[in-house]
Amino acid sequence: MSVCVRAVVRVLVLQAAWALGGGQVRYSVPEEAKGGTVVGRLAQDLGLEAGEAEARRLRLVSQGRRASVEVSGASGALVVSSRLDREELCGKSAPCALRLEVLLERPLRVFHVEVEVTDINDNAPLFPVKEEAFSIAESSLPGSRFPLEGASDADIGANAQLSYTLSPSEHFALELQKKNERNIIPYLALKKSLDRESLAEHRLLLTASDGGRPSLTGTVELVVSVLDVNDNAPQFNQSVYKVQVLESAAEGTLLTRLGATDPDEGSNSEVAYSATKFTPLSGRDLISVNPQTGEIRLVGALDFEEVSVFDFSIEARDKGTPPLSGHCSVELEVLDVNDNAPEVWVTSLSVPVAEDASLGTVVALLSVSDRDSGSNGRVRCAVWPPSPFGLVATFAGSYSLVLREALDRERVSEYEVEVRAEDGGAPPLRASRGLRVPVSDVNDNAPAFAQAVYTVLARENNAAGAELARLWARDPDEAGNGRVSYSVAEGGAGAGAGSGSGSGSGWRPASSYVSVDAESGRLWALQPLDYEELQVLQFEVRAVDAGEPPLCGNATVQLFVVDENDNAPALLPPAGGGPGPWAAGEASASASAPGSLWAWAAWGAPAGQVVAKIRAVDADSGYNAWLRYELWEPRGKGPFRVGLYSGEVSTARALEEADGPRQRLLIVVRDHGEPSRSATATLSVSLVEGAEAALAAAGAVSAGAGLRPASGAEGGAAAAAAATNVWLVVAICAVSSLFLLAVVLYGASRWAPRAAVLSGPGPATLVCASEVGSWSYSQRQSRSLCVADGAGKSDLMVFSPNCPPPPGPAPKETPQEPPALLDTVSATRPPFAP
């Protein structure tokens, strides 16, 4: 019941409203309402029942533009379909209404609906531009006004009523003037004088606010440029500029760039630069200033050693009217570079320097300088080589070249001294000065022989005046201090003795045998030497220089006489010295032939039985005294044979009667010399019965005969031969010991300085004799011998003494004079082996 009542009441109300409005429905909706917002319940307001609006197709009829509202088919409500913008729909018109036609079918009816869009404050005040720029001369007076362009607001009513405010400023204020009730014109008023140099541009913010709730604002930036007047002179940022430049800087080098500032602008701030007041005046040719940029450049070569500082002024003038100018001073300091090498001068030189000069002796005075300064001019000096001279600083830049070590002219006769100077620059520069320092000689060296002991070999029978050797003593001094003279100092030998010790028939000084040339040191023989008389001569040679005082040196000379084969073998008589048993029957024959001997042999004597022994001796030694025996006759297969080195005559086979009663044997005794010498012996061997041979042997023994009979006489002959051999061995040992001593002395002199010699290979020969022989040894390269005529020989012989010579004069042959020998070089192997 109540529902029906409410529906009836509503219909009545709508009908009444409809009648009052002339059949038009009015609604009101704010702009910017969201889509779907219900503007009004159109179906209800038109008196339609529920569902009737949809059944009768209630709809809006388009009138050519978008209505932004629509009828909801289900509910019949009028709703917002799209954005409503009053300013877009109506602009500044008020009120803003949308007039719509609503169509309803069955029956067809048309209704007029008016929707008023009400304004909201949705638009902020808007200035025509975001930034407004204008210029004001800095000479403008306070109180000046400058009109500004106001803002606009698309809203209406109170939402469009604007008010203005200006950001705080020291120089400007905002003044407003009402043009009419709707428009207000803002003015920018100058309340304090402007200074463009202090602030060339002022930026202010002008704000416009509307009367809406909440209020919206709009802003514009005011850019006020202050126009310049020439009221400021150019100014440098400092009154004095200090510039440093290396003196090695090239032309065109930028020294500095000056900047003079003029707070004015335009031509009032354009500055031109110039340089004036140079001290010294030479700076005008070395330094230039660019008028536009203010760059100071080098236009010439600098030299620190000539000018180290330049002072000048720079003027900066603007182009205003009238022009104003500013000034500053420039101090250009030239920095030193190491462009000057040290200089070394010799102010005094005392040469030559005596080699016995004391340490600390001043040789030269020097002066050292460097034109650079600081570390570049600080000089260090040294001398090269560092010895024997040194530098001593006397005072700044002066040095003394002094002797630091003892001099020896014989070691270094002249010094090339270099004084080197180096400065402390980076990199350092160097200079040097050479000095030639000769050393003068003093007599501080005695003559010295190359060897302490000279071994000289001289062949016997040499000619008088033959050169035996050449001695040389070296004196490293010069001129008279090094001029050497030679003399035989002392020494000698006993005449007739081979030891040189003075024993024998009498002692003879060495000067009677040899002499030495005072200038050349040649050793001469004063007389022929005889090995059988003199084997070794030892003496001293003295070398004396001509210095003051004179110095001398000695050398020992051992002169060994080398045997020549100048003696033929000599047959020895029988041991008893008597005529022997052969005197009976053939005594005359033996007397007429001293080399004839007798012996007896028994018939039937076996082979190898000694019948006799031939005894011979050679006055020479070594090979020359080494004898061999040969059976000369009969040749062929005779009944007898001779021992090659023993001289024993023995049976070659058993004796037979067919051999006859007597055998005559011719035996030749030869030595090993070159050429060899010989002697012959004739041995007659009688062949007898055994009893007769025994009687003959007994008679021979009682008579002292030296021949051995075929039987019992063999014991006596063997004893005599053994005695001879013992003496030969003793003599060989004595000579060998003497030679060993000579070799030891020679080895000791091996380490002394020696002169150059000629050496050459020689045949290596080792020969040893039998019972009656002697030793001889030759080792390849065991000696280097310097022959007077230059030939080399390396054979060295060791000779044994002879057996006692036979009575009577021994035959002699005089061979040609052989070249003398000088033994100078060491032995690398044992000299001989006995």
Side-chain angles (χ1 to χ4, degrees), residues 238-400:
Q238 58 190 77
S239 60
V240 177
Y241 289 86
K242 292 186 177 181
V243 182
Q244 293 180 331
V245 61
L246 297 175
E247 64 173 321
S248 60
E251 293 184 12
T253 299
L254 177 63
L255 301 179
T256 186
R257 180 181 288 109
L258 300 181
T261 59
D262 190 326
D264 298 327
E265 64 179 359
S267 61
N268 297 330
S269 64
E270 293 180 5
V271 178
Y273 301 90
S274 61
T276 59
K277 301 178 183 178
F278 280 94
T279 303
L281 293 177
S282 60
R284 291 182 300 184
D285 301 325
L286 302 176
I287 301 167
S288 70
V289 179
N290 189 307
Q292 285 76 34
T293 62
E295 292 180 347
I296 302 178
R297 291 185 179 272
L298 193 64
V299 294
L302 299 175
D303 190 352
F304 172 85
E305 287 71 35
E306 293 183 1
V307 180
S308 60
V309 177
F310 293 92
D311 291 315
F312 54 95
S313 297
I314 299 294
E315 180 186 64
R317 183 183 296 269
D318 64 23
K319 297 181 180 180
T321 302
L324 302 178
S325 62
H327 299 82
C328 73
S329 297
V330 178
E331 181 181 308
L332 178 61
E333 181 183 1
V334 182
L335 299 180
D336 182 45
V337 296
N338 195 23
D339 57 345
N340 291 282
E343 295 179 346
V344 182
W345 303 96
V346 180
T347 57
S348 177
L349 180 63
S350 300
V351 291
V353 180
E355 64 176 323
D356 61 348
S358 59
L359 300 184
T361 300
V362 177
V363 179
L365 299 178
L366 303 108
S367 176
V368 180
S369 63
D370 193 317
R371 295 183 62 199
D372 295 323
S373 63
S375 60
N376 296 331
R378 193 161 42 247
V379 181
R380 300 184 300 272
C381 291
V383 64
W384 183 262
S387 61
F389 300 101
L391 285 178
V392 175
T394 54
F395 50 90
S398 296
Y399 293 86
S400 297

Side-chain angles (χ1 to χ4, degrees), residues 573-709:
W582 60 83
E586 293 202 33
S588 60
S590 66
S592 60
S596 299
L597 302 174
W598 289 88
W600 293 267
W603 298 107
Q609 183 173 1
V610 177
V611 176
K613 182 178 179 67
I614 306 301
R615 299 173 59 208
V617 69
D618 195 316
D620 297 322
S621 65
Y623 277 108
N624 299 329
W626 187 18
L627 303 180
R628 65 179 184 273
Y629 301 86
E630 300 175 0
L631 181 61
W632 191 256
E633 291 182 1
R635 295 181 179 277
K637 298 182 178 180
F640 296 98
R641 62 188 177 190
V642 179
L644 180 61
Y645 297 111
S646 64
E648 293 179 347
V649 180
S650 60
T651 56
R653 54 181 172 81
L655 298 178
E656 302 174 352
E657 292 185 2
D659 294 328
R662 177 178 298 176
Q663 290 286 330
R664 181 175 178 276
L665 306 180
L666 182 63
I667 299 172
V668 177
V669 183
R670 298 180 184 276
D671 58 27
H672 283 76
E674 288 294 338
S676 63
R677 296 179 179 271
S678 62
T680 59
T682 302
L683 176 63
S684 296
V685 180
S686 298
L687 304 180
V688 295
E689 295 294 335
E692 295 179 1
L695 291 175
V701 170
S702 62
L707 300 179
R708 289 189 357 192

Side-chain angles (χ1 to χ4, degrees), residues 701-755:
V701 170
S702 62
L707 300 179
R708 289 189 357 192
S711 57
E714 183 177 355
T724 300
N725 290 341
V726 167
W727 283 108
L728 286 174
V729 170
V730 170
I732 288 172
C733 291
V735 173
S736 300
S737 300
L738 182 61
F739 182 73
L740 275 176
L741 177 61
V743 169
V744 170
L745 294 176
Y746 169 74
S749 66
R750 173 78 169 87
W751 302 105
R754 60 191 69 232

